[in-house]
Amino acid sequence: MSDPDRAARWTAAFGENPKAVTPGGPAEPLDLWFAAVALGGRGQYARAADLLRRLISSPDPVIAALAAATRASHLRQVGGHALARSFDAAGLNRLARAGLIGPGGIDGDHPDLPGPSGADVRAARSDVLLGLAADAIGLGRTAEARRLFGIESTLGDAGWRAEIRRGWVAAETELGAGSARAAVVPAEAARAAAARSGSVRHQVKSALVLGASLAAVGDRERARVLIFDALADATRHGLVPLVWPCAMVLADLDPDEARAHRRTAAHALHCVLRNCDPTARSLAMASPWVPTWLFSSWSD
């Protein structure tokens, strides 16, 4: 990636410095998507939503699908799985109408629609399909999640992000199905793939998924160490949406410090909601997945 501005945006979105200030001024759609991803990673959902709203209507179906999948991801992070599903479905529809996903499966590689690794047509197809699977998990539709995951897994190499996200979704599907032991292997695979990537955000989320999986099978000490380190990394790098779930899991794994961990979670979640757009904020307040009850005991 030779353009220094694009490289800076990529670093903030998918690299080693999520807190990097992305360049302002005119930018290509792909650069705006990088900026939206970086903003979302820091919990600045309202600013991200403003960029994504424009990109979702892009004439480029790959950009539109990537943007729709990103908006869906941000909505899932505040418990809005049903609305997220509509964005993932819209992204899939844009690819299908462009002939990038046909009724018989995946069409050609379409080298005329280029992008950096993890942000090309293959990544877009993977993003929307894995996004739909994650939406289904949150809605309690495990069989649907498995079916969508199976479809996506036939795509072959869709880039490093897809490799990591497949591990997340597979582990979360098993956890949602009550098969905790089956979650550990894909969670380990996701963490290994994230370690090979340069993305701090993916490394932190992978540690969280693996830690939650290990905790579910009773390996509490390894889970505690993993998530303690993940919380430290998320805090240091400004990845606020990952701070509160890490702290909530630690409240269970480290009961002597449970009150302090819940205070950390409450503060991080408050920061996230303060920077949400109205739609995302209302979804979070109504979601059983988001522990807004923390606020009532924040001052205890």
Side-chain angles (χ1 to χ4, degrees):
M1 202 175 303
S2 57
D3 182 340
D5 285 352
R6 176 165 291 180
R9 293 185 177 96
W10 174 268
T11 294
F14 299 116
E16 70 278 3
N17 187 9
K19 294 174 76 173
V21 177
T22 57
E28 296 294 323
L30 185 62
D31 300 304
L32 295 178
W33 178 64
F34 292 160
V37 171
L39 288 167
R42 299 194 293 260
Q44 297 176 32
Y45 291 139
R47 291 176 63 193
D50 183 58
L51 294 177
L52 294 170
R53 190 176 300 114
R54 288 182 273 161
L55 295 174
I56 286 169
S57 60
S58 169
D60 182 333
V62 175
I63 287 292
L66 289 167
T70 302
R71 176 60 169 161
S73 175
H74 295 170
L75 291 170
R76 276 195 302 277
Q77 289 166 27
V78 293
H81 296 82
L83 184 56
R85 189 170 187 256
S86 70
F87 279 93
D88 281 319
L92 184 64
N93 185 52
R94 282 299 305 274
L95 294 175
R97 286 193 287 118
L100 301 178
I101 299 179
I106 303 302
D107 290 342
D109 289 338
H110 291 269
D112 55 318
L113 293 170
S117 175
D120 54 17
V121 62
R122 296 176 184 178
R125 291 187 297 225
S126 178
D127 277 4
V128 293
L129 286 167
L130 288 176
L132 285 166
D135 302 330
I137 295 167
L139 294 170
R141 300 173 178 172
T142 305
E144 180 180 326
R146 292 190 192 282
R147 179 176 61 82
L148 288 161
F149 182 85
I151 294 170
E152 192 280 334
S153 66
T154 67
L155 300 184
D157 183 7
W160 65 270
R161 287 196 306 108
E163 182 182 7
I164 297 168
R165 295 182 76 238
R166 285 170 181 168
W168 295 348
V169 172
E172 290 165 357
T173 300
E174 298 303 339
L175 289 172
S179 304
R181 293 199 179 279
V184 174
V185 170
E188 293 272 21
R191 184 168 181 248
R196 294 191 295 270
S197 80
S199 175
V200 168
R201 179 166 56 85
H202 286 74
Q203 290 163 6
V204 172
K205 169 103 183 249
S206 296
L208 172 60
V209 172
L210 177 56
S213 301
L214 291 169
V217 299
D219 193 349
R220 293 174 61 85
E221 180 56 21
R222 186 180 174 211
R224 186 190 66 78
V225 172
L226 270 172
I227 296 182
F228 186 87
D229 289 346
L231 175 60
D233 288 340
T235 302
R236 181 168 61 255
H237 290 286
L239 300 170
V240 186
L242 290 171
V243 169
W244 72 259
C246 284
M248 287 301 292
V249 177
L250 273 181
D252 175 63
L253 294 172
D254 185 18
D256 290 345
E257 297 295 330
R259 177 174 292 187
H261 294 315
R262 291 192 184 104
R263 286 181 186 274
T264 297
H267 182 267
L269 183 56
H270 180 265
C271 290
V272 168
L273 296 185
R274 188 178 62 207
N275 288 290
C276 277
D277 56 282
T279 297
R281 188 179 301 114
S282 64
L283 288 170
M285 296 305 294
S287 173
W289 294 104
V290 181
T292 52
W293 55 266
L294 286 167
F295 301 144
S296 64
S297 58
W298 196 353
S299 60
D300 291 350

